[in-house]
């Protein structure tokens, strides 16, 4: 597979609350030269979007260098990776990337409005010679050699709103339509625990799905955006959904965002079963070692 590298034609800016810190933040995605990759720029540090700079995977992926960190980078990275953006400099202020509506869709809209710029350099695709996997308990992330990238997620939650879900996405599908709109989610039973840990301080029904909510906790006149109204999906507890399997689609979104930390697109079939950010990052680090070994030999 061969294609040119891409960046943005002009900058795209986003601002809003961070879902975990509850603090306002801003990111400005700027064009970057071919070969520079995706990098975050704070007050004094430039942090490459690579697995070696991951400093936390507690409910989100955070990058850091020196005394500067930026958390919840996965939705923004998924938007860039899903649109085939290889090079971008992301200027940030605040401790966290804005959550916006809880999905990658607002980022996709802003990036497409700014425009994509083809560059005079070919993208470097990574290849596998053998399967690679990491596992912990009943969670697994596996990569198999393939001619193109595809991702499959599988989740199971003992909650009638979710249960068992599977979803598969390939680079020939439309990321903006099939993956980007899927929103982050949590469970009613987790809310108090998350708040006690200092997480989800900026969470609300406008930026996250909350499954397992008690009957009657959803107002009959609660706003439903255009996508939800068009799809018409609702979970058993009445939560408006953009897809009947929105939970696993968001897991695939997170997986794509974390896979961007490899630094180059990978031609492989990737399967993630009951996985999260911590296992994703462990997986990317192992892939990095395997790919480097292949290059050295």
């Amino acid at each position: 597979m061969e294609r040119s590298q891409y960046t943005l034609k002009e900058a795209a800016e986003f601002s809003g609350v961070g879902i975990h810190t509850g603090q306002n933040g801003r990111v400005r995605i700027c064009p970057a030269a071919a070969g520079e990759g995706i990098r975050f720029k704070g007050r004094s540090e430039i942090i490459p979007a690579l697995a070696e700079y991951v400093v936390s995977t507690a409910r989100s992926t955070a990058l850091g260098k020196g005394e500067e960190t930026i958390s919840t980078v996965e939705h923004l990275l998924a938007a860039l990776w899903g649109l085939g953006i290889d090079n971008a400099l992301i200027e940030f202020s605040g401790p966290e990337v804005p959550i916006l509506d809880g999905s990658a869709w607002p980022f996709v809209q802003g990036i497409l409005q700014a425009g994509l710029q083809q560059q005079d350099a070919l993208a470097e695709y990574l290849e596998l010679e053998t399967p690679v996997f990491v596992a912990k308990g009943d969670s697994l992330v596996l990569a198999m050699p393939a001619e193109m990238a595809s991702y499959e997620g599988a989740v199971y939650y003992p909650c009638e709103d979710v249960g068992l879900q599977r979803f598969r996405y390939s680079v020939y599908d439309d990321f903006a339509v099939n993956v980007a709109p899927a929103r982050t989610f949590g469970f009613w039973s987790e809310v108090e625990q998350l708040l006690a840990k200092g997480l989800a301080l900026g969470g609300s029904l406008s930026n996250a799905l909350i499954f397992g909510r008690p009957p009657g906790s959803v107002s009959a006149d609660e706003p439903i955006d255009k996508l939800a109204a068009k799809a018409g999906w609702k979970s058993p507890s009445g939560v408006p959904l953009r897809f009947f399997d929105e939970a696993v689609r968001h897991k695939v979104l997170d997986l794509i965002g974390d896979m961007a930390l490899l630094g180059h697109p990978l031609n492989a079939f990737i399967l993630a079963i009951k996985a999260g950010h911590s296992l994703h990052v462990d997986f990317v680090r192992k892939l990095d070692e395997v790919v480097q070994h292949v290059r050295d030999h």
Side-chain angles (χ1 to χ4, degrees):
M1 186 175 182
E2 188 174 281
R3 68 164 177 84
S4 297
Q5 293 183 31
Y6 278 84
T7 188
L8 286 74
K9 284 185 178 179
E10 57 186 49
E13 188 168 326
F14 307 87
S15 60
V17 69
I19 192 169
H20 291 301
T21 63
Q23 298 182 38
N24 288 326
R26 179 188 68 89
V27 291
R28 188 169 187 263
I29 313 171
C30 303
E36 289 191 349
I38 298 172
R39 300 174 300 158
F40 288 82
K41 181 181 179 182
R43 294 183 305 275
S44 60
E45 297 283 1
I46 292 181
I47 310 171
L50 297 172
E52 64 186 279
Y53 293 94
V54 173
V55 294
S56 175
T57 53
R59 302 293 296 202
S60 69
T61 300
L63 302 174
K65 184 180 179 183
E67 295 184 356
E68 287 198 272
T69 62
I70 178 69
S71 65
T72 318
V73 300
E74 59 271 14
H75 300 171
L76 175 51
L77 290 179
L80 292 167
W81 220 236
L83 293 176
I85 300 291
D86 303 278
N87 306 295
L89 181 65
I90 305 165
E91 300 172 348
F92 70 90
S93 60
E96 189 174 9
V97 174
I99 192 62
L100 304 179
D101 75 344
S103 76
W105 176 239
F107 293 121
V108 166
Q109 286 181 300
I111 293 167
L112 291 177
Q113 186 173 358
L116 276 59
Q117 179 65 56
Q118 185 174 344
Q119 298 177 290
D120 189 21
L122 292 177
E124 180 185 351
Y125 277 82
L126 303 179
E127 308 285 345
L128 289 179
E129 294 182 348
T130 60
V132 177
F133 74 93
V134 294
K136 184 176 182 180
D138 58 356
S139 300
L140 167 78
V141 186
L142 163 74
M144 298 280 287
E147 294 182 357
M148 66 175 187
S150 62
Y151 306 83
E152 182 169 341
V155 299
Y156 174 74
Y157 296 98
C159 167
E160 64 175 346
D161 289 347
V162 184
L164 175 64
Q165 294 183 2
R166 290 178 59 187
F167 173 71
R168 186 168 182 175
Y169 163 79
S170 82
V171 292
Y172 289 115
D173 298 327
D174 192 331
F175 175 84
V177 171
N178 296 302
V179 180
R183 294 161 293 176
T184 193
F185 65 93
F187 296 89
W188 188 264
S189 59
E190 293 181 312
V191 171
E192 187 174 354
Q193 298 173 17
L194 288 172
L195 293 175
K197 293 179 180 179
L199 298 171
L201 299 178
S204 72
L205 295 180
S206 67
N207 57 35
L209 293 170
I210 304 298
F211 293 119
R213 291 161 64 186
S217 65
V218 181
S219 171
D221 59 357
E222 188 170 7
I224 301 175
D225 62 27
K226 294 180 181 179
L227 281 173
K230 182 178 180 181
W233 296 106
K234 285 192 177 183
S235 70
S237 63
V239 178
L241 298 178
R242 295 176 176 177
F243 309 98
F244 75 94
D245 54 355
E246 189 164 357
V248 71
R249 288 183 191 236
H250 186 79
K251 283 291 191 178
V252 170
L253 188 160
D254 281 345
L255 174 64
I256 293 170
D258 288 336
M259 283 297 300
L261 299 172
L262 191 58
H264 296 282
L266 173 71
N267 284 330
F269 164 63
I270 300 167
L271 171 65
I273 300 175
K274 300 175 69 175
H277 296 295
S278 179
L279 201 63
H280 293 169
V281 172
D282 287 346
F283 176 64
V284 171
R285 286 171 173 158
K286 186 168 184 177
L287 280 174
D288 204 24
E289 293 175 2
V290 171
V291 170
Q292 189 61 51
H293 175 78
V294 171
R295 284 175 171 170
D296 292 344
H297 293 78

